[in-house]
Every structure is written in C-alpha cells, then in structure tokens.
Amino acid sequence: MTASRTRPGSDLPLAEHRFFHGMDPGFLSELAAHAYAREFETGSLLVREGDPAEEFLLIFHGKVALEIELPDRPRRTLQTIGPGEVLGWSWLVPPHRWRLDGRALKPTRALGLSASHLRSALEARPEQGYRFLLRLVPVLAQRLENTRIQLLDLHGAPR
Amino acid sequence: MTPATAAPPPLPSPHPWAPVPFEVRERAAETVDTVTLSLAPPDGGVPPLAFRPGQFNMLYLYGIGEVAISLSGDPGRADRFVHTVRAAGKITQALQRVGLHATVGVRGPYGGGWPVEAARGQDVVLVGGGIGFAPLRPVLYELLHHRDRYGRLEVIYGARTPKDLLYYEEIQGWRARPDLRFQSTVDTAGREWHGDVGVVTTRLPECRFDPPRTIAFLCGPEIMMKRTAEALLARGIPPDRIWVALERNMKCALGICGHCQFGPEFICRDGPVFRYDTVDRFLSVREL
Amino acid sequence: MDGAERRVGERYLLERREFPAFLAALSASGYRVVGPTLRDGAIVYGEIRTESDLPIGWTDRQEAGTYRVVPRGDGALFGYAVGPHSWKKYLFPSRERLWSARAKEGSAGGFEVEPEPAGADPPLAFLGVRACELAAIAIQDRAFTMANDVAYLRRRERILRVAVQCGVAGGTCFCVSMGTGPAAAGGFDLALTELIAPEHHRFLIEVGSPAGAKVLTGVPLAAAPADSAREAEEVVARTARSMGRSMRVEGIRDLLVQNPEHPRWNDVARRCLACTNCTMACPTCFCQTSEEVPELAGGRVERWRRWDSCFTTGFSELHGTAIRKSHLGRYRQWMTHKLATWYDQFGSSGCVGCGRCITWCPVGIDLTVEVEAIRSSPGVRPSEPSPP
C-alpha cells in the first residue's frame, strides 16, 4: 500500500497549481520551501481512513478515487479528483485524521505540504491564512453540494 | 426562440391524434431499466423518417396508452426511428417488454430540436445526465458526420452507476477518438470502475473551448442543467449560447392539451429545447 | 319586402310576434337551433324547438359566488347576461372520441386505426351569442387552429352564429375592460338587438354574412328606420355603462409574468378550493386530457378526450409527482395563463370579461380584484410596455 515515493518538490511548481493561482508570491515561496513531491502507483493509497492527516496534497497528474471501505459491503467510490484539485481538509479540522481513503486510479503525482508547517504558516500570517481559506472553503462547499446532488440520485428512476 | 431551420412535419396520419403502426426492427436492452427500440413501418413503404436532433415522438401501445419519447438515433438514417426508453411509468414499463416485430404506434416527430446548424464553426459542449443523454446522441452523430464543420467537441455524460451507462460499446468508440473528448462520470461506483465519479460539473474543468465561440447543449434533470449552465456561464460562455431541453407532462404534443405549459411556453410545441437565457428566470420559480 | 333577398351589412326589423317565423327559418335552413333555456334555476344552453324554450321574461342576478334567475316582467327573450354554460360545450364537447382502433392479427400489439364515421349531425345555429362569447369563440378558434384540431374545425365551420347585442350587463361582467363587448361588431352571421318599448317589442337584425342573409330569406321583415339603429346603439351603450366589474389591463402581461412570487398568490391560494369550476365555466379554457378506453370484450379500443383543468393535482404530473403541488401554483398558473402568457401563445388575452369564473367560484374569488391587488402593491412595476 505504500507504493509511493517522496522527493523534493522542485519540478511541481506550487504557484502553478490552480488552487494557488494569484496568491501572494512571497507567501507561496515560503510554502514551496517546505513542499515535497509525491508519486503514487496505480492502486496505491494516498491517504487512508483513520490515519493521522499530516499533509495537504495538491494533485498535478493522475486521478484519485475517494472511497469508503466498510466490512460488510462492497467498497464504494464517492468521488474522483484529478489535476488541479486538492486532497483533504482533515489536516485542518480536528482530530486531524483522514475520513476517507484516497486511492490512485492511475499513476498520480502530487505536491505535499506538511500539515504542521502549513498550520503554523497560516497562523503566523492571518491575512494570507484568510486568503487560503477563501480558496479552501469553496472546495468544501462545492464538494458538499455535489454530494447532495449525488444523494438525490437524479439519474435513477424517480421515486 | 425555436431554432431557425424548420423541423420536419409529423408523419401523415388520418387524424392528428392517431398513431401510425410501426414495427420493432431492433431491440437492445441498454440497462436493467432502459431499452433502445428501432422502429420502421411494417410494410417498408416509407416516407423518409426525417427528424431533427432533439425532436420527440409519441409512442403508443395498443390498449395501454402513449408517451412522449425523444428520438435517440442517427438523423443521417431516414429509414427508422430510434428511441431509448427508460421504465418510469406504466407505458414506459410496458415498452421495456415489447419484442422484436411487435407493433408500436408512432406519431410525430414533434418539437423544434437542438439548433445544430448554429454550432457550425463553433466549439461544442454536450452535457447529458441519465436518460437525458439519449436526446443528445443524435446531435453527436450529426456533429461526427461532418466533423470538419465544427471546432473542439467536448461531451460529458453523467449516469447513476457504471451499470446505468447507455450505449456502452459506442461510448468506448467515442472515447477512443482523437477529435472528441468524451468524459463519462457516475454518481457512485464500486472498485470495478476506473472512470470518474462525481456530478457532471466536476468534469467541466477538463474541457477546452473558446467561450465566445462555443455552443452548449444540456439535457438532464433541471438542477443538473442549472448547475451546469451556471458553471458554463462562469467559464464565459454567453447565456444565449447555452441550450437546455425541458420536460413536462406531454399529453397531446400538439399544443392544445395545455399540460406541458412552462410559463409562456408549450414545451411540446415551443421546445423541448430552449435557449437558456429565455427560460432561466422561469426555472427559478417553484411550481411553475 | 317578404321573400326579398337580404343583403350583408343591412339592418332589418323583426316584430316580436314574428319571432317564431325566424326560428322556423333557421330550422328550415337545416340548422339545429341551440340557445338559452331555463333549467334547474339557471339559464343554460340547450335545444330550442319553439320560442317557449327561451327564458322569456327572466333575467339573472350575478355576484361573486352568487347566481339567481329572477323574473323581469317585460317578456324579454334575451334579457339575461350569461349563464354557467358557454358555446364551447358544442364546439369542444366535454367528452369526445378522437379515434378508435381494432386489434390486428399477425403482430404483437398490432392495431389498425378505424376511420371515424363522417359526422351526420346537422349544422348548429347558436342563438343568442353575446359579444364576449363571439370573442371567446375566436380565441378558441386560434388555439384549435394552431393545433390543426380537425374535429373542432369540422364542427366550427358548420356553425351559424346568431348574436344578440347585450341589453343587460351581469354583476360580474367586464367585457368593456377586455375590449370584447358589449357590442358585437363582427364575427357573426346575424346579430339581433332586442328593442323593448311599451307596446312595441321588436328586434333589429344586422346581417353579417351570406349564410345569415340566406336564413332571412322569407322571414317577414321590415326595413329598419334610421332611428332604430340609434335605438340599438343606445341599448349596448346603456349596457356598457352598467358593467358590474372592471379590470385595468394595461401592462398586465408583464405585471403577472414578473410577479410569480407576489404575496397575493398566497392569499388567494388560501381561499381557492381548486374545485375547477372556473375552468369549466370559462368559455376559452381549452385544457384537456386523453385516455385509452378498451372495449371490455377486447379487440377494440377507443381514444377519448375530455376537459381537464389546471386545478387538478394530476394535471402537471411528471414521473408520478405533481409539479404544481399547491393551490398557489395552480391558481397562479390559471390566472397568469388566462391574462398574461396567453398573449405570448395566441396574441391576445385569454379572458373576454364574461365574469363566469367570478360568479361560479364557490368562494367568490374575483380575478379583477386579484389583479388589482397585485398591481397596487408598492414596488411592483411592469418593466417594459407590452400588449395590450
């Protein structure tokens, strides 16, 4: 399950990820200094439900299935995410544990930001922290809304 | 409001309300609750069965009743009417069970259809949800028959689960084409599915198009079309370049029973395809 | 001038005592005459065989939710306004077979549509059509013509319209506001004005069409003196001055289309019973449904249509769920369609101001009041001018 490698993040430019477009370059280079590249083989887990959420992952290449595994029923994929999207807010929300599995559906490359470093960077620069949240909250909101629409089972037979 | 090119007239019939008997020539079970029927006149003596993508027929089963179903076949083939029918009510359930060579009554085609000619020289985005992909398939055929007339071609198709995907084999062919990006996504899937999971709007960021030179056709549940239209507007496509197909209770298809009214529109006569900026304010009114 | 040829556009005088000769001439011309008759305490439309079938000496008193017939004491034949019926019951019957089919051997579900028997019914003469009703017929003509409704159109072309210029305005009438009456200016084959003076009861007859002229051949008529035309004009002018209701229609299309969320809809929805009376009584409501009627013995089915109403739950049903679940949605649909979106669909209002929906509403909902309530709310302004 740990078919992943971690390298310095220099070839995945943080400022070019859609999530960070247009943010303060000084702040971004501060974050980039502590970023690292991660690569995942098909089938491997980026994150695992219940594990400590110690990083924020920016997807650059590949595709990741967000899944829930239950003992008594088949594994379900709830959403897939790909390049330009981000994986996870569990690192920001206590108790800082992943709530889903994130599995690579194809070879996937991501930039990781260590949660502890990221949290202190956001604390130390509240204005930048606020701008960061202005980007993260819409991701949450969009995923919540999409989940609600999925919950409606719109394409099933009307009931 | 209706597309510029005139739609072909309905089949000749002794009475505008009376169906013409057709024979089931081909029958394909698409999913557990959806079937595709190819219908042709039993004697072969055919007026050309012309239709515009987006038009619909009233399909009739003797002793049971009739129901409005979009045409889902290739408009380049004038020898048959193809319909993809999902079991929803009494008649659509009965249509699941009709066999080869059985008789299905047809009257139509009705409605105005998609303004495919307006897509010439444009990038085209097709977004279909569930059974709503069926009325878009004729557009896709038409675009691919004359691929050089159009710019980039983006198709997004959302279904409930991988098992609910219509036209599965055909989709593999479309996915393999270099001159078309075909993305299918499902609401939920098991491990066997390596494709995308999520609502259709999650696939839009992948799409490449030149917004002021793009035309988009959306068909599916209203909330899906509203959210998709909002996302396309946010990408810069002007609201008069987005078209949606609406659905209401269509009893007569002749503009006289009154059932399918939607604000000032009769969906059967003035639609079912509408320009988004002419109907968006009505879409937000409850119980309209 | 008996036996003389009557000319379109001319006016003639018919003495009251000669009215039976006029009825006889209609029959002799091959028409089955239908018109006003007193039944179950209301003036309704039915077969007119002799003049005694007419509501002679009766009038009606109408208010919101109220209808009474009362004697008027002057022997008038057409001394009432309008009753619960309209002529649509003849042109667009409440139940009608559209087509029938026989099962056909050789294929599962095989069928053959049977040719409908050619209508052998005699043409109808509508006796006593008011100006608002002529307008209503013209409105339904547009809807059914656009739908190429062959059954309607076949019946429609066999109708002789004998109009009556209104001598009485009902308590709920507002044809003046809608521009449809009380004077019938055209669209009739014949138009009668009933002139009742002490000791002298006559009808002024205006010929509107060759078919009308033909009927009058042989009816004992006198040339109309110049002052009788003026007298007839005074009859409708008096009626115009005594309208029981009025409605401001300027900008009404935008007013209603732009106010689907107006609080007044909640208010009226609390009163509306969704009983469908207004749509049944309305002379222009054309909504309908169709259903499959299999013969019990099998082997044959019939397809029937019947009046439907946008006030029923099932009317807007899609995939088993009504889109207009509440009375609010249904009342708003009806009134907005009638007074506003009808312009988009058919180029005119769907309302002729006959007042039937007000009179026959069991809780007395008055659409003229509802319109005014929406119009008078602060902040509600039609944004752009539009018809009328």
Side-chain angles (χ1 to χ4, degrees):
Chain A
M1 284 294 173
T2 54
S4 71
R5 291 190 300 136
T6 303
R7 298 182 292 104
S10 52
D11 63 330
L12 297 178
L14 176 132
E16 283 175 26
H17 193 276
R18 196 165 68 216
F19 183 84
F20 283 122
H21 272 183
M23 273 190 77
D24 177 62
F27 184 65
L28 287 186
S29 49
E30 207 175 297
L31 296 184
H34 295 268
Y36 46 90
R38 297 200 66 191
E39 295 186 6
F40 301 90
E41 289 172 11
T42 301
S44 64
L45 286 182
L46 287 75
V47 302
R48 186 186 158 96
E49 190 252 310
D51 281 358
E54 287 166 343
E55 61 186 345
F56 179 48
L57 289 168
L58 305 154
I59 312 295
F60 277 79
H61 301 285
K63 184 176 344 194
V64 180
L66 304 184
E67 306 171 333
I68 289 191
E69 174 130 349
L70 299 162
D72 59 342
R73 59 182 72 192
R75 173 183 283 275
R76 300 302 296 172
T77 302
L78 304 167
Q79 191 191 356
T80 50
I81 58 174
E85 296 185 274
V86 299
L87 175 51
W89 47 83
S90 297
W91 58 270
L92 187 62
V93 184
H96 305 291
R97 288 186 181 275
W98 293 111
R99 296 320 207 191
L100 294 161
D101 288 355
R103 180 187 303 275
L105 291 178
K106 20 169 126 163
T108 295
R109 300 181 68 202
L111 200 61
L113 295 172
S114 125
S116 56
H117 177 264
L118 187 52
R119 285 195 297 259
S120 27
L122 299 177
E123 287 277 347
R125 309 264 310 259
E127 191 189 328
Q128 292 305 321
Y130 174 68
R131 294 188 186 286
F132 180 95
L133 285 181
L134 281 185
R135 283 146 196 272
L136 188 63
V137 171
V139 173
L140 270 67
Q142 191 65 61
R143 292 206 185 151
L144 176 61
E145 188 192 325
N146 290 349
T147 304
R148 285 171 176 161
I149 290 179
Q150 284 166 275
L151 191 63
L152 291 173
D153 194 18
L154 289 176
H155 305 314
R159 272 166 293 169
Chain B
M1 189 162 311
T2 39
T5 312
L11 294 169
S13 162
H15 190 293
W17 290 79
V20 178
F22 271 56
E23 179 188 337
V24 177
R25 291 288 174 81
E26 285 170 44
R27 176 183 191 291
E30 300 283 353
T31 70
V32 68
D33 66 356
T34 305
V35 68
T36 294
L37 303 173
S38 290
L39 307 171
D43 49 17
V46 206
L49 303 179
F51 72 96
R52 281 174 63 91
Q55 284 196 291
F56 67 95
N57 279 326
M58 297 300 292
L59 298 188
Y60 166 77
L61 287 177
Y62 177 83
I64 299 176
E66 62 179 3
V67 63
I69 304 286
S70 288
L71 284 139
S72 67
D74 183 349
R77 290 195 64 172
D79 62 339
R80 61 188 55 207
F81 282 146
V82 176
H83 291 278
T84 302
V85 186
R86 185 180 66 181
K90 182 181 68 163
I91 302 152
T92 49
Q93 273 161 23
L95 280 164
Q96 304 298 310
R97 297 189 293 267
V98 300
L100 221 49
H101 307 302
T103 299
V104 174
V106 176
R107 57 187 182 94
Y110 298 116
W114 305 100
V116 181
E117 66 286 345
R120 276 223 189 186
Q122 313 291 306
D123 293 342
V124 184
V125 179
L126 307 181
V127 184
I131 191 68
F133 182 60
L136 286 173
R137 189 169 70 151
V139 179
L140 187 52
Y141 286 130
E142 187 70 22
L143 298 175
L144 294 176
H145 284 322
H146 309 284
R147 183 63 191 89
D148 55 323
R149 289 181 188 168
Y150 307 96
R152 279 171 290 206
L153 188 42
E154 298 277 1
V155 184
I156 302 174
Y157 169 30
R160 188 169 179 244
T161 73
K163 286 195 179 80
D164 294 297
L165 286 165
L166 308 172
Y167 319 128
Y168 195 82
E169 297 301 318
E170 223 173 356
I171 286 175
Q172 307 317 310
W174 290 325
R175 293 184 70 93
R177 287 181 70 124
D179 57 352
L180 154 71
R181 188 197 329 252
F182 192 105
Q183 302 187 76
S184 40
T185 181
V186 297
D187 279 343
T188 175
R191 283 300 293 280
E192 73 287 356
W193 174 250
H194 287 227
D196 291 309
V197 177
V199 295
V200 288
T201 44
T202 61
R203 303 325 311 154
L204 279 175
E206 292 296 302
C207 297
R208 297 286 164 269
F209 49 79
D210 178 20
R213 290 185 53 257
T214 297
I215 191 156
F217 298 156
L218 320 181
C219 187
E222 266 172 41
I223 190 163
M224 177 221 106
M225 293 193 289
K226 280 201 282 191
R227 294 289 179 269
T228 305
E230 285 162 9
L232 293 173
L233 292 170
R235 288 278 297 269
I237 298 185
D240 60 354
R241 294 179 146 264
I242 299 171
W243 297 75
V244 294
L246 301 182
E247 185 180 17
R248 286 293 183 271
N249 182 356
M250 288 194 271
K251 284 291 230 191
C252 74
L254 303 167
I256 194 66
C257 79
H259 286 246
C260 70
Q261 284 181 83
F262 180 71
E265 317 288 356
F266 287 105
I267 301 275
C268 73
R269 189 189 75 188
D270 308 320
V273 175
F274 295 94
R275 219 174 69 195
Y276 185 67
D277 61 335
T278 68
V279 291
D280 61 342
R281 67 198 170 120
F282 297 120
L283 284 169
S284 64
V285 179
R286 310 265 165 91
E287 295 196 23
L288 191 73
Chain C
M1 52 191 284
D2 288 358
E5 193 184 321
R6 316 301 186 189
R7 289 205 305 278
V8 175
E10 288 295 310
R11 291 186 168 85
Y12 305 93
L13 273 181
L14 174 74
E15 292 297 325
R16 165 68 183 86
R17 66 174 179 280
E18 302 290 359
F19 197 82
F22 174 61
L23 280 183
L26 288 168
S27 300
S29 303
Y31 295 103
R32 182 163 74 92
V33 181
V34 290
T37 192
L38 187 61
R39 196 164 72 214
D40 301 331
I43 295 166
V44 297
Y45 295 145
E47 188 94 27
I48 305 297
R49 289 189 185 78
T50 72
E51 68 168 36
S52 63
D53 289 328
L54 295 169
I56 299 173
W58 289 92
T59 190
D60 46 27
R61 297 261 184 277
Q62 304 194 33
E63 258 312 318
T66 301
Y67 178 96
R68 293 275 180 281
V69 287
V70 289
R72 49 179 279 162
D74 62 357
L77 272 55
F78 301 99
Y80 56 93
V82 291
H85 285 185
S86 73
W87 304 99
K88 84 173 175 185
K89 73 175 204 161
Y90 296 110
L91 290 168
F92 170 38
S94 58
R95 250 186 126 249
E96 177 184 13
R97 187 176 65 206
L98 291 167
W99 50 270
S100 54
R102 192 164 287 286
K104 197 179 165 193
E105 300 292 310
S107 135
F111 67 92
E112 194 166 31
V113 174
E114 298 177 328
E116 283 300 290
D121 295 341
L124 292 180
F126 289 175
L127 175 61
V129 187
R130 303 311 172 105
C132 63
E133 298 184 306
L134 288 172
I137 292 171
I139 287 171
Q140 284 214 327
D141 283 353
R142 274 195 289 282
F144 284 98
T145 302
M146 282 174 79
N148 184 30
D149 196 287
V150 287
Y152 177 94
L153 297 174
R154 201 178 294 136
R155 280 189 294 270
R156 176 64 183 79
E157 65 193 21
R158 289 158 60 84
I159 300 299
L160 187 82
R161 288 160 298 169
V162 182
V164 165
Q165 304 288 7
C166 264
V168 170
T172 57
C173 286
F174 55 104
C175 65
V176 169
S177 301
M178 302 314 293
T180 58
F188 52 78
D189 297 288
L190 294 169
L192 313 185
T193 308
E194 187 166 23
L195 303 172
I196 305 175
E199 310 297 315
H200 201 180
H201 188 170
R202 303 156 296 157
F203 294 88
L204 184 73
I205 304 189
E206 185 182 347
V207 182
S209 77
K214 204 166 151 211
V215 167
L216 293 183
T217 313
V219 178
L221 299 174
D227 66 334
S228 64
R230 208 175 42 74
E231 203 182 334
E233 279 161 24
E234 181 47 36
V235 169
V236 286
R238 202 169 51 234
T239 307
R241 287 193 298 272
S242 58
M243 288 282 122
R245 292 287 192 280
S246 69
M247 186 159 76
R248 284 197 285 157
V249 295
E250 316 81 52
I252 195 169
R253 188 266 174 203
D254 288 356
L255 176 76
L256 297 183
V257 168
Q258 291 168 7
N259 282 285
E261 317 281 2
H262 195 283
R264 184 69 182 192
W265 298 118
N266 279 304
D267 185 276
V268 68
R270 277 196 292 274
R271 288 172 278 138
C272 175
L273 308 175
C275 72
T276 79
N277 263 17
C278 50
T279 54
M280 299 294 114
C282 177
T284 68
C285 274
F286 56 76
C287 286
Q288 54 190 280
T289 189
S290 62
E291 55 206 3
E292 190 89 349
V293 184
E295 263 181 15
L296 277 180
R300 199 165 165 281
V301 299
E302 296 188 336
R303 192 82 186 166
W304 283 76
R305 73 167 158 196
R306 58 175 171 79
W307 291 358
D308 203 350
S309 170
C310 53
F311 282 95
T312 67
T313 315
F315 187 82
S316 62
E317 193 173 286
L318 184 64
H319 308 146
T321 304
I323 287 178
R324 296 184 202 110
K325 295 165 187 68
S326 68
H327 289 190
L328 186 158
R330 293 180 226 164
Y331 189 86
R332 182 181 62 193
Q333 166 62 23
W334 177 71
M335 193 170 107
T336 305
H337 182 218
K338 188 67 53 186
L339 298 175
T341 53
W342 209 289
Y343 286 102
D344 302 73
Q345 298 171 353
F346 303 110
S348 75
S349 177
C351 176
V352 296
C354 70
R356 286 180 177 90
C357 58
I358 305 171
T359 299
W360 296 96
C361 175
V363 294
I365 293 172
D366 180 340
L367 82 173
T368 67
V369 173
E370 299 310 317
V371 168
E372 207 48 38
I374 291 175
R375 194 187 281 284
S376 64
S377 294
V380 176
R381 295 275 183 280
S383 71
E384 59 194 66
S386 81

